[in-house]
């Protein structure tokens, strides 16, 4: 099947690359000419494990093509995946202007019937507005457009594996032909007929994914409901962590036991610096805004968001507790990306930590395996180094802000030697408190009993 992908960001590149990998002919486009130049030159503008070789092999096989000309992509395809950004507006509502402008472009350019799929995360009712826009903007005489929703559940850092081993594929449709077309697109995944680029033939055993056919509004709600629930779980664990600090509990013991209950589950119960990234914070805001707009009180989410924002305050309280005065203190930052295995810093908690530390006059050095360049563009005056030991050199404190596995394996005896004051504040609960104390560090983390010196 001939597919077009509009929007070559994270989701567009992963979706386009994976669809090509399972045998479809894909043509991808974006209105960012600099990004298209990079892609057309065979490079990849973001870091995601496996993405670069997968795109290269799909291009070599002639399954994937990039074009800066949207008309070319629209003319070539029967099915169009809209993967543009839906960032938050000041009110918290999703900004759907990119969806609207793509709708206009499709309506103007299409000469044959198209199935137009929302892959971007959008509030419920966007499907019907998209359908209306395609009709209103369309050429007289009218091209037949069908609209569907196919929300994306990928996790940055493991996005390719998530595409090949999903737990569910949700398709919101207005007619059964669209469901059949989408089932055909995903047939190789549903039937296990693919060679997985992540595990090269040795995929971990997995349950067969469910193909869920719903209304378009339900599919849109499913995506916001899923992300919001994940945010709720994290904020719940973070409040537990504050309680544990006051009452001598250990949040890891508590959340592990709580999560063993299959009605609750172990995932997203990790206490620490809270959630960031381009999905959870903005999707929760958009979902709250949507609920408000139809008169439904979703105070539960407002609270989850407030708890999440307070995580930075909690960290700063710890920094003040140990360092007293921050001005002129040298502070090393381990990790900048919003999570490991990505270079994405959008709404990363580390950025707000940096802003606050700079406002108080700290001297900062930072490291991250992938996200230094993006962070440098925002904070050019920080000293950056790929070498964590250099970041530790002469520091009054090290703050661990992203749980890259490499930080667990640092030579802590060497770090100890490098630092001026041996203070580690582990905002991701990644290190073992006992081991850190045995190494001679003052060590603190979130909600782990006895972890405060
Ligand atoms: N990043 C994730 O982990 C993730 C996961 C699931 C869903 N989503 C959702 O998918 C959507 C895209 O997310 P992303 O992370 O890929 O965003 P992104 O910002 O990385 O990519 C969006 C791309 O769309 C392009 N674009 C914007 N307007 C355009 C237009 N009019 N025509 C053509 N291209 C245009 C931009 O140039 C950009 O390259 C969002 O709605 C997001 O919420 C993201």
């Amino acid at each position: 099947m001939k597919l077009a992908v509009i929007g070559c960001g994270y989701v567009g590149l992963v979706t386009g690359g994976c669809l090509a990998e399972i045998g479809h002919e894909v043509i991808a486009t974006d209105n960012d000419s600099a990004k298209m130049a990079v892609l057309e030159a065979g490079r990849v503008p973001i870091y995601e494990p496996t993405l670069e070789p997968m795109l290269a092999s799909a291009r070599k096989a002639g399954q994937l093509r990039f074009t800066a000309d949207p008309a070319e992509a629209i003319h070539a395809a029967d099915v169009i995946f809209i993967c543009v950004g839906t960032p938050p507006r000041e009110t918290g509502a999703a900004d759907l202007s990119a969806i609207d402008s793509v709708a206009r472009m499709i309506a103007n350019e299409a000469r044959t019937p198209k199935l137009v799929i929302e892959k971007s995360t959008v509030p419920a009712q966007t499907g019907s507005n998209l359908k209306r826009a395609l009709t209103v903007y369309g050429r007289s005489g009218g091209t037949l457009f069908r609209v569907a929703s196919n929300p994306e559940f990928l996790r940055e850092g493991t996005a390719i594996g998530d595409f090949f081993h999903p737990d569910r594929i949700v398709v919101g449709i207005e007619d059964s032909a669209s469901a059949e077309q989408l089932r055909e697109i995903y047939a190789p995944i549903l039937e296990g007929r693919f060679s997985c680029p992540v595990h090269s033939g040795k995929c971990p055993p997995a349950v067969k994914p469910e193909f869920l056919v719903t209304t378009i509004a339900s599919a849109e709600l499913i995506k916001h409901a899923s992300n919001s629930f994940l945010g709720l779980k994290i904020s719940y664990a973070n409040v537990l962590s504050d309680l544990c600090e006051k009452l001598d509990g250990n949040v890891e013991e508590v959340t592990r036991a709580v999560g063993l209950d299959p009605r609750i589950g172990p995932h997203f119960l990790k206490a620490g610096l809270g959630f960031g990234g381009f999905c959870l914070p903005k999707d929760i805001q958009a979902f709250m805004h949507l609920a408000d707009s139809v008169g439904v009180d979703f105070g539960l989410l407002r609270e989850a968001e407030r708890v999440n924002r307070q995580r930075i305050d909690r960290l700063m309280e710890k920094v003040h507790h140990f360092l007293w005065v921050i001005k002129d203190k040298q502070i090393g930052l381990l990790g900048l990306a919003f999570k490991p295995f990505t270079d994405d810093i959008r709404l990363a908690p580390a950025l707000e930590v940096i802003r606050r530390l700079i406002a108080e006059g700290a001297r900062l050095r930072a490291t991250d395996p992938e996200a230094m360049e993006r962070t440098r563009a925002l904070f050019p005056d920080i000293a950056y180094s790929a070498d964590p030991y250099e970041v530790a050199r002469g520091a009054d404190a090290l703050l661990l802000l992203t749980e890259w596995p490499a930080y667990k394996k640092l030579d802590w005896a060497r770090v100890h030697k490098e630092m001026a004051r041996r203070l580690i504040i582990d905002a991701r609960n990644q290190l073992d408190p006992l081991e850190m104390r045995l190494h001679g560090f003052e060590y603190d983390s979130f909600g782990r009993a006895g972890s405060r010196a």
Side-chain angles (χ1 to χ4, degrees):
M1 209 176 297
K2 288 193 175 162
L3 313 178
V5 166
I6 302 187
C8 293
Y10 225 100
V11 168
L13 289 177
V14 169
T15 304
C18 291
L19 288 169
E21 182 72 27
I22 59 172
H24 300 295
E25 209 176 299
V26 179
I27 177 161
T29 187
D30 196 289
N31 68 350
D32 177 339
S33 52
K35 193 174 273 187
M36 287 321 292
V38 169
L39 287 164
E40 283 175 312
R43 287 177 285 121
V44 179
I46 55 166
Y47 172 73
E48 171 67 31
T50 317
L51 182 63
E52 196 162 344
M54 184 182 75
L55 294 184
S57 98
R59 293 182 79 183
K60 199 163 162 213
Q63 295 294 124
L64 174 66
R65 208 149 62 79
F66 292 103
T67 175
D69 177 9
E72 188 189 349
I74 292 164
H75 293 163
D78 313 306
V79 177
I80 301 172
F81 285 85
I82 302 181
C83 302
V84 298
T86 49
R89 294 190 352 225
E90 257 181 24
T91 56
D95 179 351
L96 300 175
S97 54
I99 304 265
D100 180 53
S101 107
V102 169
R104 188 185 289 273
M105 199 167 64
I106 295 172
N108 280 334
E109 293 299 338
R111 305 283 183 272
T112 53
K114 312 280 175 197
L115 173 60
V116 180
I117 299 176
E118 306 165 347
K119 193 71 165 149
S120 304
T121 301
V122 291
Q125 300 299 331
T126 302
S128 42
N129 287 324
L130 175 61
K131 174 92 179 187
R132 199 177 49 230
L134 287 165
T135 315
V136 171
Y137 298 146
R139 308 150 68 75
S140 53
T143 305
L144 185 62
F145 295 109
R146 284 172 296 125
V147 167
S149 162
N150 174 214
E152 180 52 59
F153 298 102
L154 68 78
R155 295 162 299 172
E156 292 186 15
T158 54
I160 315 285
D162 292 343
F163 182 95
F164 282 89
H165 308 289
D167 31 36
R168 77 274 210 217
I169 294 172
V170 175
V171 300
I173 44 101
E174 52 178 354
D175 63 340
S176 55
S178 305
E180 280 324 301
Q181 221 165 345
L182 275 153
R183 193 188 291 278
E184 200 184 324
I185 290 170
Y186 286 109
I189 301 293
L190 295 167
E191 295 159 16
R193 287 187 285 107
F194 58 82
S195 90
C196 172
V198 179
H199 305 104
S200 26
K202 293 194 191 99
C203 300
V207 185
K208 251 182 114 184
E210 284 219 31
F211 186 75
L212 294 166
V213 181
T214 69
T215 63
I216 294 180
S218 292
E220 294 164 335
L221 283 162
I222 287 165
K223 175 63 193 178
H224 269 151
S226 302
N227 272 3
S228 298
F229 193 74
L230 295 175
L232 274 178
K233 274 187 99 175
I234 294 174
S235 284
Y236 188 77
N238 279 327
V239 177
L240 289 180
S241 133
D242 291 349
L243 264 181
C244 284
E245 283 195 4
K246 299 280 183 206
L247 302 173
D248 284 339
N250 181 324
V251 72
E252 289 193 331
E253 291 170 355
V254 174
T255 50
R256 177 164 152 69
V258 168
L260 283 172
D261 182 335
R263 292 169 303 175
I264 298 173
H267 304 294
F268 281 70
L269 280 178
K270 187 119 176 69
L273 196 52
F275 52 82
F278 195 51
C279 287
L280 263 51
K282 84 168 174 57
D283 291 353
I284 286 187
Q285 278 194 20
F287 208 26
M288 280 191 306
H289 193 275
L290 179 69
D292 274 349
S293 73
V294 291
V296 173
D297 179 6
F298 218 151
L300 200 58
L301 292 186
R302 246 187 307 282
E303 217 21 50
E305 201 209 18
R306 187 183 66 80
V307 167
N308 195 53
R309 269 187 276 113
Q310 280 181 344
R311 299 320 290 167
I312 312 284
D313 301 341
R314 292 280 102 83
L315 175 64
M316 291 305 292
E317 281 163 21
K318 287 176 189 291
V319 175
H320 281 122
H321 168 83
F322 283 101
L323 290 183
W324 182 36
V325 172
I326 291 181
K327 187 165 167 32
D328 289 334
K329 296 277 159 64
Q330 186 181 312
I331 299 179
L333 307 178
L334 297 178
L336 300 163
F338 87 94
K339 65 187 284 198
F341 301 109
T342 178
D343 60 352
D344 199 344
I345 55 165
R346 291 178 291 181
L347 303 178
L351 303 187
E352 183 56 21
V353 174
I354 290 173
R355 268 181 218 113
R356 302 240 195 140
L357 291 172
I358 289 178
E360 294 209 39
R363 289 180 290 124
L364 299 181
R365 285 192 188 174
T367 187
D368 187 286
E370 299 293 338
M372 281 193 295
E373 288 322 306
R374 288 186 193 274
T375 313
R376 196 196 301 275
L378 294 180
F379 299 103
D381 297 332
I382 296 178
Y384 294 90
S385 169
D387 178 1
Y389 302 101
E390 204 176 310
V391 166
R393 194 161 303 146
D396 295 294
L398 270 184
L399 310 189
L400 196 159
L401 302 180
T402 312
E403 62 275 38
W404 285 94
Y407 299 150
K408 239 184 142 99
K409 297 187 204 128
L410 289 177
D411 175 349
W412 290 104
R414 186 170 161 205
V415 173
H416 190 272
K417 268 196 215 124
E418 298 282 5
M419 293 181 74
R421 175 174 172 181
R422 280 79 189 204
L423 168 62
I424 313 272
I425 304 180
D426 175 2
R428 296 297 185 175
N429 285 3
Q430 201 195 10
L431 309 170
D432 180 345
L434 186 62
E435 195 189 321
M436 297 318 285
R437 289 209 187 86
L438 286 175
H439 275 296
F441 288 105
E442 295 173 89
Y443 173 83
D444 199 6
S445 55
F446 280 109
R448 301 200 284 182
S451 56
R452 194 156 265 201

